[in-house]
């Protein structure tokens, strides 16, 4: 989609189909870079629960879009939100009253605990935000690959995603308990902290959820 510049008022007034047509060449160029793997079905296909972080203001926009597009391919789709809306599959995160970036870990921890205890039939849990689009076929194919399925069957806790490493200042801001820092050094021999990007999403197996 072309950026909104001096013609932004006119662009905002045209209908959705015309807006997509206006950016068709850019859209096609991006999609040509994506190869979609065949989606395996049957008993061997990994069963994945998707949980999407959102809040009430996005229920009529981003949540509906996810539900009507890639969300249809999830084996189970749950929106972890600030309010419950059964028609959308949205659940108010238990025990959380503040929904902002600073308290995002509290929301995430509560969501993981709720989903782990409520949906015992799932072996994989995919977390993402409501502004993400997922090529679901490729994710399922990756989980079904020999590399990942072998580790999963062996009971190895797995969290798969795009790895980030915060700078020293950011790490000091978020990790203020010296005991946690020493524990990390004991486990990994370094204070180079790593984590998976939450925006693009990451997937965890049940063993990892239990450890968390």
């Amino acid at each position: 989609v072309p950026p909104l510049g001096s013609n932004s008022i006119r662009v905002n007034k045209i209908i959705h189909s015309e807006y997509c047509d206006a950016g068709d060449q850019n859209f096609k160029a991006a999609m040509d870079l994506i190869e979609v793997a065949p989606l395996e079905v049957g008993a061997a296909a990994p069963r994945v629960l998707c949980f999407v972080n959102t809040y009430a203001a996005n229920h009529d926009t981003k949540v509906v879009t996810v539900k009507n597009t890639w969300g249809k391919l999830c084996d189970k789709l749950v929106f972890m939100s600030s309010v419950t809306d059964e028609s959308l599959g949205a659940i108010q995160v238990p025990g959380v009253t503040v929904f902002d970036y600073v308290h995002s870990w509290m929301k995430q921890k509560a969501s993981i605990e709720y989903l782990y205890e409520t949906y015992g039939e799932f072996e994989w849990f995919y977390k993402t935000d409501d502004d993400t689009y997922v090529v679901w076929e490729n994710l399922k194919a990756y989980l079904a690959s020999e590399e990942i399925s072998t580790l999963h069957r062996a009971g190895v806790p797995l969290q798969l995603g795009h790895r980030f490493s915060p700078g020293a200042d950011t790490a000091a801001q978020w990790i203020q308990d010296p005991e946690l820092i020493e524990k990390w050094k004991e486990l990994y021999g370094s204070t180079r902290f790593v984590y998976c990007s939450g925006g693009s999403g990451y997937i965890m197996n049940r063993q990892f959820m239990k450890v968390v």
Side-chain angles (χ1 to χ4, degrees):
V1 173
L4 300 182
S6 59
N7 294 325
S8 60
I9 295 178
R10 187 188 70 79
V11 171
N12 282 331
K13 287 184 177 180
I14 63 178
I15 62 174
H16 180 73
S17 60
E18 292 175 342
Y19 191 73
C20 292
D21 290 341
D24 179 70
Q25 293 305 314
N26 292 330
F27 176 77
K28 185 176 185 303
M31 293 302 294
D32 284 345
L33 298 175
I34 300 174
E35 295 183 6
V36 179
L39 182 60
E40 295 188 21
V41 295
R47 298 189 72 246
V48 182
L49 180 146
C50 308
F51 66 104
V52 180
N53 279 349
T54 189
Y55 60 103
N58 288 347
H59 281 196
D60 293 334
T61 53
K62 295 179 179 180
V63 167
V64 171
T65 299
V66 171
K67 186 178 177 66
N68 291 335
T69 55
W70 67 265
K72 292 181 177 181
L73 298 176
C74 298
D75 296 297
K76 177 70 177 181
L77 177 64
V78 180
F79 295 96
M80 304 306 294
S81 184
S82 54
V83 298
T84 295
D85 186 335
E86 295 182 0
S87 66
L88 294 173
I91 298 171
Q92 181 177 355
V93 181
V96 177
T97 57
V98 181
F99 294 85
D100 59 18
Y101 184 77
V102 175
H103 296 85
S104 58
W105 168 237
M106 295 173 61
K107 177 181 179 180
Q108 187 67 3
K109 185 173 184 292
S111 297
I112 289 174
E113 291 177 349
Y114 169 81
L115 295 167
Y116 179 82
E117 294 172 359
T118 305
Y119 297 99
E121 68 271 28
F122 290 95
E123 288 298 314
W124 292 97
F125 298 80
Y126 175 70
K127 177 271 172 192
T128 192
D129 294 339
D130 58 13
D131 56 357
T132 300
Y133 188 89
V134 183
V135 183
W136 194 246
E137 296 89 342
N138 291 358
L139 179 58
K140 280 250 184 172
Y142 182 57
L143 295 180
S145 68
E146 183 177 355
E147 174 192 8
I148 301 304
S149 59
T150 298
L151 291 171
H152 177 61
R153 288 194 301 268
V156 177
L158 296 173
Q159 183 193 40
L160 310 172
H162 183 73
R163 190 173 67 176
F164 280 174
S165 180
D169 292 342
T170 302
Q173 177 184 356
W174 288 99
I175 309 172
Q176 300 182 6
D177 187 341
E179 291 186 8
L180 292 177
I181 296 175
E182 290 302 316
K183 183 64 174 179
W184 183 276
K185 290 173 62 176
E186 177 185 334
L187 290 172
Y188 304 108
S190 170
T191 55
R192 180 177 179 269
F193 299 100
V194 294
Y195 66 97
C196 285
S197 168
S200 57
Y202 50 81
I203 192 161
M204 306 166 282
N205 64 359
R206 191 163 186 81
Q207 293 92 324
F208 185 90
M209 297 273 282
K210 181 179 181 179
V211 172
V212 173

